[in-house]
Amino acid sequence: VALFPIPAMDMVSFTYKDIVPDAVEVSDIGQRCILNSTNIFQLNVASLPPGCYFVRFLQNNKVIGVKKLIKAR
């Protein structure tokens, strides 16, 4: 999975090589889910405060990958 741009401001996009998820979710450092979406190619993160987050990629409700997301101002 590739996630760009880093750092993100408004939108973040994802590309996949092998396995394609059916959902994505963004969690904070405390593992609390903040955003989730079935749009697996682009996510609007404009509402998130600046900081470090984790994007989890899900398939059939199982985590198949995790990437770090840095949200800029």
Side-chain angles (χ1 to χ4, degrees), residues 2-15 41-43 45 55 68-72:
L3 180 147
F4 57 93
I6 299 291
M9 293 188 78
D10 296 324
M11 300 296 288
V12 63
S13 298
F14 313 107
T15 59
F41 296 103
Q42 197 169 48
L43 189 62
V45 295
V55 180
K68 183 167 67 170
L69 167 66
I70 298 171
K71 169 64 169 64

Side-chain angles (χ1 to χ4, degrees), residues 11-12 14 16 22-24 36-44:
M11 300 296 288
V12 63
F14 313 107
Y16 308 97
D22 50 34
V24 295
N36 56 38
S37 178
T38 55
N39 180 347
I40 59 167
F41 296 103
Q42 197 169 48
L43 189 62
N44 186 338

Side-chain angles (χ1 to χ4, degrees), residues 3 6-8 26-32 34 45 48-55 66-73:
L3 180 147
I6 299 291
V26 177
S27 60
D28 63 11
I29 297 292
Q31 299 292 324
R32 290 175 296 189
I34 297 171
V45 295
L48 296 178
C52 185
Y53 299 90
F54 294 98
V55 180
V66 179
K67 288 284 187 174
K68 183 167 67 170
L69 167 66
I70 298 171
K71 169 64 169 64
R73 53 184 162 87

